[in-house]
mmCIF file of all heavy atoms in Angstrom:
data_model
loop_
_atom_site.group_PDB
_atom_site.id
_atom_site.type_symbol
_atom_site.label_atom_id
_atom_site.label_comp_id
_atom_site.label_asym_id
_atom_site.label_seq_id
_atom_site.Cartn_x
_atom_site.Cartn_y
_atom_site.Cartn_z
ATOM 1 N N ASN A 208 64.005 125.033 109.582
ATOM 2 C CA ASN A 208 63.003 125.414 110.580
ATOM 3 C C ASN A 208 61.730 124.633 110.288
ATOM 4 O O ASN A 208 61.183 124.720 109.189
ATOM 5 C CB ASN A 208 62.723 126.919 110.533
ATOM 6 C CG ASN A 208 63.943 127.709 110.960
ATOM 7 O OD1 ASN A 208 64.717 127.245 111.798
ATOM 8 N ND2 ASN A 208 64.155 128.868 110.371
ATOM 9 N N TYR A 209 61.261 123.864 111.262
ATOM 10 C CA TYR A 209 60.134 122.954 111.028
ATOM 11 C C TYR A 209 59.060 123.179 112.087
ATOM 12 O O TYR A 209 59.343 123.169 113.298
ATOM 13 C CB TYR A 209 60.641 121.506 111.075
ATOM 14 C CG TYR A 209 59.557 120.457 111.159
ATOM 15 C CD1 TYR A 209 58.638 120.288 110.130
ATOM 16 C CD2 TYR A 209 59.458 119.622 112.279
ATOM 17 C CE1 TYR A 209 57.647 119.329 110.210
ATOM 18 C CE2 TYR A 209 58.470 118.655 112.376
ATOM 19 C CZ TYR A 209 57.566 118.520 111.330
ATOM 20 O OH TYR A 209 56.582 117.561 111.419
ATOM 21 N N LYS A 210 57.814 123.377 111.618
ATOM 22 C CA LYS A 210 56.692 123.555 112.556
ATOM 23 C C LYS A 210 56.031 122.195 112.759
ATOM 24 O O LYS A 210 55.478 121.617 111.827
ATOM 25 C CB LYS A 210 55.694 124.577 112.002
ATOM 26 C CG LYS A 210 54.763 125.103 113.070
ATOM 27 C CD LYS A 210 54.106 126.397 112.644
ATOM 28 C CE LYS A 210 53.362 127.011 113.820
ATOM 29 N NZ LYS A 210 52.694 128.258 113.477
ATOM 30 N N HIS A 211 56.091 121.697 113.989
ATOM 31 C CA HIS A 211 55.572 120.371 114.305
ATOM 32 C C HIS A 211 54.081 120.450 114.634
ATOM 33 O O HIS A 211 53.515 121.535 114.789
ATOM 34 C CB HIS A 211 56.375 119.797 115.500
ATOM 35 C CG HIS A 211 56.133 118.342 115.739
ATOM 36 N ND1 HIS A 211 56.039 117.431 114.724
ATOM 37 C CD2 HIS A 211 55.960 117.634 116.899
ATOM 38 C CE1 HIS A 211 55.826 116.231 115.242
ATOM 39 N NE2 HIS A 211 55.769 116.339 116.565
ATOM 40 N N THR A 212 53.444 119.289 114.777
ATOM 41 C CA THR A 212 51.999 119.238 115.065
ATOM 42 C C THR A 212 51.665 119.847 116.428
ATOM 43 O O THR A 212 50.524 120.216 116.675
ATOM 44 C CB THR A 212 51.498 117.776 115.027
ATOM 45 O OG1 THR A 212 52.428 116.966 115.790
ATOM 46 C CG2 THR A 212 51.463 117.252 113.604
ATOM 47 N N ASP A 213 52.649 119.975 117.328
ATOM 48 C CA ASP A 213 52.360 120.582 118.644
ATOM 49 C C ASP A 213 52.466 122.117 118.589
ATOM 50 O O ASP A 213 52.524 122.788 119.617
ATOM 51 C CB ASP A 213 53.296 120.023 119.729
ATOM 52 C CG ASP A 213 54.770 120.275 119.402
ATOM 53 O OD1 ASP A 213 55.052 120.982 118.411
ATOM 54 O OD2 ASP A 213 55.638 119.771 120.144
ATOM 55 N N ASP A 214 52.494 122.672 117.338
ATOM 56 C CA ASP A 214 52.541 124.125 117.092
ATOM 57 C C ASP A 214 53.834 124.803 117.559
ATOM 58 O O ASP A 214 53.917 126.023 117.604
ATOM 59 C CB ASP A 214 51.338 124.845 117.729
ATOM 60 C CG ASP A 214 50.091 124.662 116.874
ATOM 61 O OD1 ASP A 214 50.264 124.333 115.689
ATOM 62 O OD2 ASP A 214 48.980 124.817 117.392
ATOM 63 N N LYS A 215 54.827 124.021 117.929
ATOM 64 C CA LYS A 215 56.122 124.608 118.278
ATOM 65 C C LYS A 215 57.002 124.599 117.031
ATOM 66 O O LYS A 215 56.915 123.673 116.219
ATOM 67 C CB LYS A 215 56.809 123.781 119.376
ATOM 68 C CG LYS A 215 56.210 123.964 120.766
ATOM 69 C CD LYS A 215 57.038 123.164 121.758
ATOM 70 C CE LYS A 215 56.406 123.193 123.137
ATOM 71 N NZ LYS A 215 57.073 122.252 124.043
ATOM 72 N N GLU A 216 57.854 125.618 116.904
ATOM 73 C CA GLU A 216 58.789 125.628 115.776
ATOM 74 C C GLU A 216 60.132 125.065 116.243
ATOM 75 O O GLU A 216 60.694 125.519 117.243
ATOM 76 C CB GLU A 216 58.972 127.036 115.223
ATOM 77 C CG GLU A 216 59.794 126.990 113.943
ATOM 78 C CD GLU A 216 59.659 128.242 113.082
ATOM 79 O OE1 GLU A 216 58.585 128.483 112.516
ATOM 80 O OE2 GLU A 216 60.660 128.952 112.999
ATOM 81 N N TYR A 217 60.615 124.056 115.535
ATOM 82 C CA TYR A 217 61.866 123.389 115.900
ATOM 83 C C TYR A 217 62.981 123.793 114.938
ATOM 84 O O TYR A 217 62.746 124.011 113.745
ATOM 85 C CB TYR A 217 61.689 121.861 115.864
ATOM 86 C CG TYR A 217 60.852 121.332 117.007
ATOM 87 C CD1 TYR A 217 59.462 121.310 116.930
ATOM 88 C CD2 TYR A 217 61.455 120.870 118.179
ATOM 89 C CE1 TYR A 217 58.693 120.834 117.984
ATOM 90 C CE2 TYR A 217 60.692 120.391 119.236
ATOM 91 C CZ TYR A 217 59.319 120.382 119.138
ATOM 92 O OH TYR A 217 58.572 119.912 120.187
ATOM 93 N N THR A 218 64.192 123.876 115.479
ATOM 94 C CA THR A 218 65.386 124.130 114.657
ATOM 95 C C THR A 218 66.081 122.791 114.446
ATOM 96 O O THR A 218 66.534 122.160 115.398
ATOM 97 C CB THR A 218 66.345 125.089 115.394
ATOM 98 O OG1 THR A 218 65.644 126.318 115.628
ATOM 99 C CG2 THR A 218 67.585 125.369 114.581
ATOM 100 N N LEU A 219 66.143 122.365 113.189
ATOM 101 C CA LEU A 219 66.786 121.081 112.862
ATOM 102 C C LEU A 219 68.102 121.370 112.152
ATOM 103 O O LEU A 219 68.115 122.037 111.113
ATOM 104 C CB LEU A 219 65.884 120.235 111.952
ATOM 105 C CG LEU A 219 64.418 120.054 112.364
ATOM 106 C CD1 LEU A 219 63.687 119.196 111.343
ATOM 107 C CD2 LEU A 219 64.302 119.425 113.740
ATOM 108 N N ASN A 220 69.202 120.893 112.709
ATOM 109 C CA ASN A 220 70.512 121.045 112.062
ATOM 110 C C ASN A 220 70.878 119.746 111.358
ATOM 111 O O ASN A 220 71.164 118.744 112.011
ATOM 112 C CB ASN A 220 71.587 121.399 113.100
ATOM 113 C CG ASN A 220 71.414 122.809 113.629
ATOM 114 O OD1 ASN A 220 71.306 123.754 112.860
ATOM 115 N ND2 ASN A 220 71.353 122.939 114.943
ATOM 116 N N LEU A 221 70.832 119.761 110.015
ATOM 117 C CA LEU A 221 71.187 118.570 109.230
ATOM 118 C C LEU A 221 72.668 118.648 108.885
ATOM 119 O O LEU A 221 73.129 119.605 108.263
ATOM 120 C CB LEU A 221 70.343 118.521 107.946
ATOM 121 C CG LEU A 221 70.847 117.647 106.795
ATOM 122 C CD1 LEU A 221 70.984 116.191 107.211
ATOM 123 C CD2 LEU A 221 69.936 117.739 105.586
ATOM 124 N N ILE A 222 73.425 117.647 109.329
ATOM 125 C CA ILE A 222 74.862 117.582 109.008
ATOM 126 C C ILE A 222 75.037 116.387 108.083
ATOM 127 O O ILE A 222 75.027 115.241 108.519
ATOM 128 C CB ILE A 222 75.702 117.454 110.296
ATOM 129 C CG1 ILE A 222 75.446 118.682 111.182
ATOM 130 C CG2 ILE A 222 77.178 117.348 109.969
ATOM 131 C CD1 ILE A 222 76.008 118.592 112.571
#
Side-chain angles (χ1 to χ4, degrees):
N208 294 328
Y209 167 64
K210 197 162 189 180
H211 192 41
T212 47
D213 59 6
D214 282 340
K215 285 184 186 171
E216 188 161 291
Y217 288 85
T218 300
L219 311 180
N220 289 308
L221 161 59
I222 300 170

